Amino acid sequence: MQQLFLHAAGYRSDLFFVSCFIPISILLVLPSPLNACSQLDRESLFSFLSGLSPTANNRLVVGSWNSSNCCLWEGIGCNANGAVTRISLPAKGLMGEISHALANLTQLSYVDLSHNRLTGTLPSALLWSSSILTLDVSFNRLAGGLPELPLSTHGGLPMKVLNVSINYFTGPFPSFSWELTRNLVALNGSGNSFTGPIPASLCSGSPFLVYLDLSRNQFSSNIPHGFGNCSELRVFQAGHNNLNGTLPDDLFEAASLRHLALPNNHLSGVLEGKRTAKLSNIITLNLAGNGLSGHLPESIGQLVNLEHLSLDSNRLSGNLPSSLSNCTSLKDLNLRANNFSGKLSAFNFSNLSNLKTIDLGINNFTGGIPESIYACRSLKALRLSANNLTGQVSHEITNLQALSFLSLSYNNLANISGTLSILQKCKKLRAVLLGGNFKDEALPDIDWVGGFQSLQILSLANCQLTGQIPFWLSKLTNLEVLDLAGNKLTGTIPSWFNTLPKLFHLGIAVNYFSGEIPQAITEMPLLASERAIAQLDPEDFELPVFLSSYNSSDLQYNKLSALPPALNFAHNNFTGVIPPEIGRLKQLQVLDLSGNNFSGGIPPQLDNLTNLEILNLSSNHLTGMIPPSLRNLNFLAVFSVADNDLEGPIPSGNQFGTFPTSSFLGNPELCGSLINRPCSNSTSVGLPPPNPVSTKRTNTELLLAAALGVTFGGFFGLGIFLHLYVV
Ligand SMILES: *[C@@H]1O[C@H](CO)[C@@H](O)[C@H](O)[C@H]1NC(C)=O
Ligand SMILES: *[C@@H]1O[C@H](CO)[C@@H](O)[C@H](O)[C@H]1NC(C)=O
Ligand SMILES: *[C@@H]1O[C@H](CO)[C@@H](O)[C@H](O)[C@H]1NC(C)=O
Ligand SMILES: *[C@@H]1O[C@H](CO)[C@@H](O)[C@H](O)[C@H]1NC(C)=O
Ligand SMILES: *[C@@H]1O[C@H](CO)[C@@H](O)[C@H](O)[C@H]1NC(C)=O
Ligand SMILES: *[C@@H]1O[C@H](CO)[C@@H](O)[C@H](O)[C@H]1NC(C)=O
Ligand SMILES: *[C@@H]1O[C@H](CO)[C@@H](O)[C@H](O)[C@H]1NC(C)=O
Ligand SMILES: *[C@@H]1O[C@H](CO)[C@@H](O)[C@H](O)[C@H]1NC(C)=O
């Protein structure tokens, strides 16, 4: 033991002497001198300690593992006989391996080593201990397989709680071992890389199981029969796996089930009415991201405790059954991205007064926005985008004083002027997404009455709106993202854009704007600031914002601050020079000025934009050379100056080694090997020192690919053009 201690603690022997023998006198004054640990237990703990990395180990020993009575050590608990029964060392920064010596602690019943950085495997003797009731090793870096119970084991094991979640475990999950864990109450294997089927014998061996979480692994094949034996099962989660087939009948016999979450698998079949009705205690039903088809059964109305229903991204069709309005506990209703149809106003929402979020986007609903929705006073987020809804937003929507997220994009709604006048009175609104409506109406100069105080994102894209950028927009001091692309707006860019302190994403592409880029743009405070945009707004939206071509939701954002800072002025009639002061906007990740009538040179000051990932200046009348210093834009992934009147050599090296020929075509006087036109010596620009080329695939690139609906490599040479479809 002396050696172990010395090894473990790195202590000098005189110190050991002191701490080992002085305590005899201390023990006399301790409250329960009899409660002193046995030498065997102490040695086992030292073995455990010596398996840990020296840092952690020193901290523990210097901290308190320094007396001979291990019952007094930090994180150690003993019973009245001085036998070690508890090890509770969560989040202590422990590194190294878990020693199987712990299995020598014969009375050990509780082990919590969660939230450390432990590596290696989980010793079989510990996993299948004959004394441990609770074993929590979650949030570590344990790897390898979970071994089966040794075949020689006789009699049952006392295990009640096993939590191995969030580690690097691989291989099949133990299957027959559960036959001997009759007391098992909670089993959590989520967040690993387990493969193979979910064990079928779980419920026959462990009939009192209450919590079962196998989500975020690579489990495959069907969900086995046998869950009907788990009469106490309340929580069953196995989302984000590769499960397939239909839901087994007897899963619906687990009558205690409160939370059933199997999202993002490959499950198929229909939600059969009789079976569904049996889930009478269900609170959460999450089968999103599967291949379910058929209708939502009428019997869903019998699930009166249902609070969270997520069936989004399946192939469900038909009307919303009227019985759904009996689910009066419902808080979150998500049926997005299915093929539901029928008049939405035929469904009466008024009884569902607890609803906080409704997402019915990307379906086939028709008719008007149901008036009854305005009775859902708790509503915080409503998405009805990408349906076939007609009519207008009613003034009653101002009843929804908690409403913070509203997306009605891509419907056939009318009366933008009425809509904005009404919505500005919803004081909590942070997101207003109305793109793809109001065809050919005029962008109004509404009577702004101090509304939209909380507005952070406004999209009126793709509405074919006429008119000019109205002045009331300058009053929206919390605005971060403004998307007016795809309209028929005219006039110049107003000079007040530098008064919006938080605006970092301005999209006005594909309009008829003219004139020069005003100085105000080059002074946009947030784009020019050194302050990270990520600090802007920590609060998540109640529903995510999706960016994509509107019917293939590719990128999902819960926070606006994750969007790339951008100026997108593409495809307008802008004239004049590209102001050199644009080089001040250090935060910019996307600058798209393509398809305009800009003339003059490319300002070398653009080399200040060191965060730039997309720079598109194609299809203008730019002259002069490509500033060689643009080579220093290390994150630049997409670049085009095609179709201008540029001359001289194409810079080489760094990112310029990665751009395709098409980025430079249509400039008769440019030269360089890339476009097969050798430069005469006098114009050649010296080769830069070879720097490593950045090949990271950035958020913006992904966004661009999503926006264009193309895969990587595919968008080069297209008239690259970033557009956000926010739905
Ligand atoms: C031993 O642990 C106790 C309790 O944490 C602490 O007060 C004391 O300073 C430690 N002694 C040594 C020598 O580290
Ligand atoms: C467990 O205890 C036995 C008996 O004292 C001993 O032989 C063995 O080495 C111990 N195991 C570990 C891993 O410390
Ligand atoms: C591990 O899982 C159990 C049972 O689900 C739970 O009680 C415990 O809080 C979990 N541990 C952590 C660190 O989350
Ligand atoms: C399982 O563990 C994960 C991670 O600790 C946790 O988020 C989840 O809630 C747990 N599941 C159950 C059913 O306790
Ligand atoms: C909407 O319904 C029409 C006709 O019922 C159908 O042709 C179309 O495929 C549906 N759209 C979607 C997105 O399912
Ligand atoms: C959507 O449902 C309609 C009938 O309501 C059907 O005609 C159409 O084929 C379905 N579309 C898809 C993509 O399943
Ligand atoms: C909807 O239900 C409420 C409450 O049950 C009722 O008062 C109202 O008349 C119904 N509305 C419609 C349009 O049926
Ligand atoms: C537009 O909406 C406003 C406000 O609800 C209303 O007063 C006005 O009559 C509507 N205009 C049309 C043409 O429907």
Side-chain angles (χ1 to χ4, degrees):
M1 170 214 155
Q2 182 162 354
Q3 265 177 352
L4 273 173
F5 193 5
L6 291 176
H7 167 77
Y11 261 36
R12 297 206 329 271
S13 54
D14 52 347
L15 248 181
F16 171 70
F17 186 88
V18 170
S19 54
C20 201
F21 292 97
I22 298 279
I24 295 171
S25 57
I26 294 175
L27 280 179
L28 300 176
V29 296
L30 283 175
S32 52
L34 288 179
N35 185 347
C37 72
S38 74
Q39 183 176 345
L40 194 62
D41 279 7
R42 192 164 56 234
E43 279 175 18
S44 299
L45 288 173
F46 278 137
S47 291
F48 166 68
L49 194 60
S50 65
L52 301 178
S53 83
T55 0
N57 174 328
N58 278 337
R59 252 187 45 211
L60 278 180
V61 175
V62 173
S64 77
W65 287 35
N66 61 13
S67 66
S68 65
N69 184 0
C70 68
C71 297
L72 301 176
W73 296 354
E74 177 186 2
I76 304 301
C78 296
N79 62 13
N81 302 324
V84 172
T85 55
R86 292 175 64 89
I87 300 180
S88 180
L89 294 167
K92 291 284 183 267
L94 305 184
M95 293 160 80
E97 305 203 357
I98 303 178
S99 165
H100 55 279
L102 287 185
N104 267 5
L105 297 163
T106 52
Q107 305 293 308
L108 190 61
S109 71
Y110 179 93
V111 178
D112 182 358
L113 297 172
S114 64
H115 289 282
N116 284 296
R117 279 179 277 167
L118 298 167
T119 49
T121 56
L122 180 60
S124 174
L126 204 58
L127 174 60
W128 305 118
S129 149
S130 55
S131 64
I132 296 179
L133 304 180
T134 295
L135 178 59
D136 188 345
V137 293
S138 62
F139 295 94
N140 278 289
R141 294 167 189 180
L142 300 171
L146 279 193
E148 291 277 3
L149 188 66
L151 282 170
S152 55
T153 318
H154 295 292
L157 299 181
M159 178 195 291
K160 278 189 161 162
V161 175
L162 176 62
N163 191 346
V164 298
S165 69
I166 323 282
N167 276 288
Y168 300 144
F169 289 116
T170 52
F173 207 65
S175 60
F176 62 80
S177 306
W178 311 112
E179 297 284 1
L180 290 181
T181 55
R182 205 177 156 72
N183 298 318
L184 191 63
V185 172
L187 176 57
N188 194 340
S190 67
N192 285 287
S193 296
F194 291 116
T195 51
I198 290 177
S201 62
L202 254 176
C203 290
S204 53
S206 311
F208 306 117
L209 197 60
V210 178
Y211 305 99
L212 175 60
D213 192 344
L214 300 174
S215 48
R216 295 180 193 275
N217 280 286
Q218 291 155 35
F219 285 107
S220 55
S221 66
N222 293 7
I223 297 175
H225 286 269
F227 279 100
N229 293 328
C230 270
S231 56
E232 307 288 324
L233 192 65
R234 284 169 178 238
V235 178
F236 176 31
Q237 304 182 160
H240 302 267
N241 280 292
N242 300 316
L243 301 170
N244 55 35
T246 56
L247 294 175
D249 273 331
D250 71 342
L251 180 59
F252 297 83
E253 306 291 338
S256 307
L257 212 51
R258 297 213 183 1
H259 304 278
L260 177 62
L262 304 168
N264 295 52
N265 279 292
H266 309 293
L267 301 170
S268 54
V270 300
L271 277 177
E272 201 267 316
K274 265 203 191 120
R275 293 196 320 182
T276 305
K278 289 186 179 169
L279 297 171
S280 54
N281 288 306
I282 204 89
I283 294 172
T284 304
L285 182 58
N286 182 352
L287 301 172
N290 281 291
L292 302 179
S293 52
H295 293 190
L296 199 53
E298 277 289 337
S299 63
I300 194 116
Q302 295 173 39
L303 310 182
V304 292
N305 297 310
L306 191 62
E307 292 181 14
H308 314 282
L309 179 60
S310 303
L311 298 172
D312 44 304
S313 301
N314 278 288
R315 280 184 254 128
L316 300 167
S317 56
N319 299 332
L320 285 188
S322 57
S323 62
L324 185 63
S325 65
N326 295 336
C327 302
T328 50
S329 307
L330 209 53
K331 291 182 179 158
D332 302 298
L333 174 63
N334 192 344
L335 303 177
R336 180 175 187 276
N338 279 286
N339 187 16
F340 286 107
S341 56
K343 272 207 154 89
L344 192 56
S345 49
F347 182 80
N348 192 343
F349 285 88
S350 354
N351 285 339
L352 302 180
S353 55
N354 290 311
L355 272 173
K356 289 199 159 60
T357 68
I358 300 178
D359 193 340
L360 303 177
I362 315 189
N363 276 291
N364 233 333
F365 288 114
T366 55
I369 300 170
E371 291 288 318
S372 61
I373 245 173
Y374 305 132
C376 305
R377 298 296 167 93
S378 311
L379 203 59
K380 291 185 166 179
L382 174 63
R383 177 174 5 241
L384 301 174
S385 58
N387 280 286
N388 298 317
L389 300 177
T390 50
Q392 305 188 5
V393 171
S394 141
H395 193 265
E396 306 290 300
I397 200 170
T398 56
N399 292 341
L400 305 180
Q401 283 300 321
L403 193 66
S404 116
F405 180 102
L406 177 67
S407 172
L408 303 172
S409 319
Y410 302 96
N411 281 291
N412 295 308
L413 301 175
N415 197 352
I416 187 174
S417 144
T419 302
L420 293 172
S421 299
I422 291 166
L423 291 181
Q424 69 163 321
K425 293 174 193 148
C426 297
K427 293 196 171 59
K428 295 244 169 79
L429 268 178
R430 294 165 64 205
V432 171
L433 311 176
L434 300 173
N437 286 293
F438 315 116
K439 286 287 146 61
D440 296 314
E441 293 187 23
L443 180 53
D445 211 351
I446 56 166
D447 183 12
W448 184 76
V449 291
F452 282 137
Q453 307 122 317
S454 310
L455 200 60
Q456 294 172 352
I457 172 170
L458 175 64
S459 173
L460 297 170
N462 297 318
C463 295
Q464 310 298 321
L465 299 172
T466 58
Q468 306 205 343
I469 296 182
F471 185 66
W472 60 267
L473 287 176
S474 73
K475 310 285 191 185
L476 312 186
T477 50
N478 281 309
L479 203 60
E480 298 176 19
V481 174
L482 176 63
D483 190 358
L484 298 173
N487 285 297
K488 300 180 193 163
L489 300 174
T490 54
T492 56
I493 303 184
S495 60
W496 45 253
F497 271 104
N498 55 355
T499 66
L500 291 176
K502 296 180 181 170
L503 190 68
F504 68 86
H505 189 115
L506 175 60
I508 56 171
V510 195
N511 276 290
Y512 301 129
F513 290 116
S514 54
E516 302 192 358
I517 296 181
Q519 196 183 340
I521 291 293
T522 66
E523 291 167 354
M524 285 172 63
L526 203 68
L527 288 178
S529 82
E530 300 284 331
R531 202 172 123 222
I533 281 164
Q535 295 168 0
L536 253 189
D537 180 30
E539 208 184 329
D540 279 5
F541 284 128
E542 282 76 15
L543 285 175
V545 168
F546 291 94
L547 291 186
S548 63
S549 51
Y550 75 88
N551 55 1
S552 70
S553 51
D554 296 316
L555 290 182
Q556 177 177 334
Y557 291 88
N558 295 314
K559 293 189 206 321
L560 275 191
S561 50
L563 288 177
L567 289 179
N568 190 347
F569 291 3
H571 299 279
N572 280 287
N573 299 323
F574 289 114
T575 52
V577 299
I578 299 175
E581 296 79 11
I582 223 164
R584 291 180 194 153
L585 304 180
K586 270 195 157 309
Q587 296 283 352
L588 269 186
Q589 289 175 17
V590 177
L591 177 61
D592 192 342
L593 303 176
S594 64
N596 283 290
N597 295 316
F598 288 112
S599 54
I602 298 175
Q605 289 85 343
L606 292 185
D607 69 2
N608 283 331
L609 303 179
T610 48
N611 290 308
L612 215 53
E613 295 174 20
I614 297 178
L615 176 59
N616 190 356
L617 305 175
S618 63
S619 301
N620 280 293
H621 307 296
L622 301 171
T623 52
M625 306 226 293
I626 301 173
S629 62
L630 295 187
R631 272 193 305 243
N632 301 331
L633 300 179
N634 285 324
F635 293 130
L636 203 56
V638 178
F639 174 80
S640 180
V641 290
D643 297 313
N644 279 292
D645 300 314
L646 297 166
E647 61 185 22
I650 295 173
S652 54
N654 293 4
Q655 294 306 94
F656 275 80
T658 67
F659 304 137
T661 308
S662 54
S663 295
F664 305 97
L665 292 178
N667 291 283
E669 303 297 320
L670 271 185
C671 65
S673 54
L674 191 62
I675 53 174
N676 252 329
R677 195 181 301 128
C679 300
S680 67
N681 277 346
S682 58
T683 53
S684 123
V685 173
L687 275 183
N691 270 4
V693 164
S694 153
T695 51
K696 83 173 180 136
R697 191 124 283 169
T698 62
N699 182 34
T700 318
E701 276 185 277
L702 292 170
L703 176 62
L704 178 74
L708 292 170
V710 292
T711 50
F712 276 96
F715 59 81
F716 296 109
L718 297 174
I720 28 173
F721 160 59
L722 172 74
H723 187 62
L724 308 180
Y725 293 94
V726 190
V727 292

